[in-house]
Amino acid sequence: MSLGTIIHAGLTRPTRTIVALVLMGGGARTAYQVGVLQAMASMLKLQTNRKQDFPFQVMVGTSAGALNAAFLASTASTGLDAFEKLSGFWAKLHCEDVYRLEVSPWVQFSRLVAAVKLWGNARKHGAILDNMPLVDTLHRTISLAGIEAAFESKAIEAIAVTASSYTSGVHWTFCHTARDEKQKAWNRPGRRAEFQPLTIEHLMASSAIPFLFPSTPLWVDGHREFFGDGSMRQVSPLSPAVHLGAHKVLVVGVGQPQRSGMLGSGQPGEPTMGGIAGHAMASVFHDTLQADVEQTQRLARTLKELPREIAAVLPYRPIEVLAMQPTQSLDAVAQAHVRELPKTVRRALGGLGAMRNGGGALASYLLFEPGFVQELVKLGEQDAYARKEELLAFFG
């Protein structure tokens, strides 16, 4: 996060603490976030002196994390029960609710034929997969009216989703509040913000995984641009939350200690297409979060070490950040569930050699199936309970 962002955020000093939730992207891997948040809600419900209100005032999401953020915002008026509703949504999810790929069974016998078929899809649609099923799913499950109701009841104050413009190369944050016209957007090198009502198109743009899902057009600055996954060029994932006034930020990513398949006993072999694709996806989705968290925490520590008289006159404030990420390899989990992928997807990617030795990394972004999802939810719950004291202190 830039020093300019910290200074800008410190120019306003609210009289109460604003807590933000930042959900990173990662396709089906974001089921892990469901487990973390469900466990967190259970902990808060057991606190006898705590209200059952929704615990976040600002929601920020990227890619599939934007879908989770929007769902929670639309149900925030129900308080802590919103997290149970999110878990119920994921429990019923299948790949066919997110994407489809129609190819002939014989493509599995020829890598060349598979490559030609997928290249044809990419030429025709700008992506390998058709994500129109996701449009229908979002319209059925995310209530835009529910988000407005959450503003009206003051359950939340702001929601923001990020997307990357293929047209201009700018990383955009689309923010929505009860009064967008009174808000001041920010403009930084390579990244901008705009306040406008949230739509399903914003969510589709934010979650358009490059090469896999087609781009989505959105209107910015009075003209149309085409957008893809918000994880691309996301150099400062915590910035929107800070700009929107957060004093505390809980961020849940879906990175991992190390990716399976690339390391192991003995001499590692040449990476397969699946391994390379997984490595590329990991670079798109996860490489900036840890650095941004560390920089924000370092600035907070520095401010707290200053004499109180000096800190009081400085135009910025410390931001408390608690970051949660998986403690186990999600690639390894996905490798055990690869057979759950739709046959057409498995055949096509298998024909390209993308499912061998490291294919779990690529599959982990596409496995919207109950077996994989529930294992990630369980891991998220375990990780959250392992850090119970930290989480409760964060909301203390």
Side-chain angles (χ1 to χ4, degrees):
M1 185 181 304
S2 67
L3 183 59
T5 297
I6 299 295
I7 293 176
H8 177 272
L11 295 178
T12 57
R13 299 179 182 275
T15 57
R16 60 190 179 84
T17 299
I18 297 176
V19 184
L21 175 64
V22 176
L23 299 176
M24 302 297 291
R29 301 160 74 101
T30 55
Y32 172 82
Q33 297 169 348
V34 179
V36 171
L37 296 172
Q38 187 170 256
M40 174 212 71
S42 297
M43 297 176 200
L44 295 180
K45 284 182 177 180
L46 292 176
Q47 290 189 299
T48 55
N49 295 326
R50 180 183 176 84
K51 293 182 179 180
Q52 302 298 297
D53 295 341
F54 194 74
F56 303 102
Q57 291 76 52
V58 174
M59 304 291 294
V60 179
T62 298
S63 191
L67 310 186
N68 284 341
F71 185 99
L72 289 171
S74 71
T75 56
S77 297
T78 65
L80 293 175
D81 289 341
F83 302 101
E84 190 67 31
K85 294 179 185 293
L86 179 64
S87 178
F89 163 68
W90 275 87
K92 300 176 182 177
L93 200 61
H94 292 271
C95 292
E96 62 187 22
D97 299 315
V98 181
Y99 60 84
R100 59 178 170 238
L101 173 63
E102 296 180 0
V103 293
S104 301
W106 41 262
V107 299
Q108 64 181 318
F109 300 113
S110 170
R111 291 186 181 184
L112 177 60
V113 173
V116 170
K117 180 63 178 179
L118 295 184
W119 174 247
N121 285 353
R123 286 284 301 273
K124 184 177 181 180
H125 304 292
I128 294 174
L129 302 173
D130 177 7
N131 63 347
M132 283 304 295
L134 180 59
V135 176
D136 297 333
T137 298
L138 295 181
H139 276 291
R140 290 195 311 269
T141 58
I142 294 181
S143 170
L144 300 180
I147 295 177
E148 301 303 325
F151 288 144
E152 183 73 20
S153 66
K154 301 189 183 304
I156 62 171
E157 296 182 6
I159 180 172
V161 302
T162 63
S164 184
S165 173
Y166 289 123
T167 305
S168 64
V170 174
H171 187 270
W172 282 84
T173 299
F174 298 99
C175 308
H176 184 33
T177 67
R179 296 188 176 185
D180 289 341
E181 69 281 357
K182 294 183 177 293
Q183 305 299 325
K184 184 177 180 180
W186 61 90
N187 189 342
R188 299 287 183 271
R191 52 192 176 94
R192 294 185 58 182
E194 186 167 297
F195 284 83
Q196 56 182 251
L198 187 69
T199 66
I200 297 301
E201 285 72 25
H202 288 100
L203 301 179
M204 293 299 297
S206 181
S207 58
I209 301 175
F211 304 113
L212 297 180
F213 297 155
S215 62
T216 299
L218 296 173
W219 286 85
V220 291
D221 284 344
H223 65 276
R224 189 174 70 164
E225 295 187 13
F226 287 86
F227 286 82
D229 201 291
S231 296
M232 297 184 291
R233 297 197 173 193
Q234 189 177 36
V235 297
S236 187
L238 302 185
S239 174
V242 176
H243 275 290
L244 291 170
H247 298 79
K248 291 184 174 185
V249 179
L250 173 64
V251 54
V252 187
V254 291
Q256 53 194 34
Q258 69 179 35
R259 295 192 294 280
S260 67
M262 303 300 283
L263 295 174
S265 58
Q267 186 70 22
E270 184 177 354
T272 64
M273 180 176 291
I276 294 173
H279 183 76
M281 286 294 179
S283 299
V284 168
F285 283 105
H286 310 305
D287 284 354
T288 61
L289 175 60
Q290 184 174 356
D292 203 29
V293 169
E294 289 178 352
Q295 184 175 0
T296 304
Q297 292 174 334
R298 186 162 56 248
L299 284 169
R301 287 194 299 269
T302 300
L303 291 173
K304 289 180 179 180
E305 291 173 359
L306 292 174
R308 184 173 301 177
E309 295 79 6
I310 296 178
V313 299
L314 292 177
Y316 43 82
R317 52 178 164 71
I319 308 297
E320 181 181 346
V321 180
L322 177 59
M324 296 285 300
Q325 294 212 77
T327 56
Q328 299 178 24
S329 168
L330 302 191
D331 296 358
V333 177
Q335 193 70 54
H337 293 272
V338 165
R339 299 294 298 178
E340 296 175 22
L341 278 172
K343 288 184 179 179
T344 53
V345 175
R346 214 167 61 241
R347 285 169 178 164
L349 297 180
L352 290 173
M355 292 287 101
R356 295 185 293 106
N357 299 330
L362 178 59
S364 68
Y365 297 92
L366 298 174
L367 267 167
F368 294 92
E369 291 294 329
F372 180 65
V373 165
Q374 291 309 311
E375 196 160 345
L376 262 57
V377 170
K378 183 178 179 181
L379 175 60
E381 291 176 331
Q382 291 174 348
D383 287 352
Y385 278 112
R387 300 178 64 179
K388 179 177 179 180
E389 291 185 4
E390 289 179 76
L391 279 167
L392 291 179
F394 178 85
F395 291 101

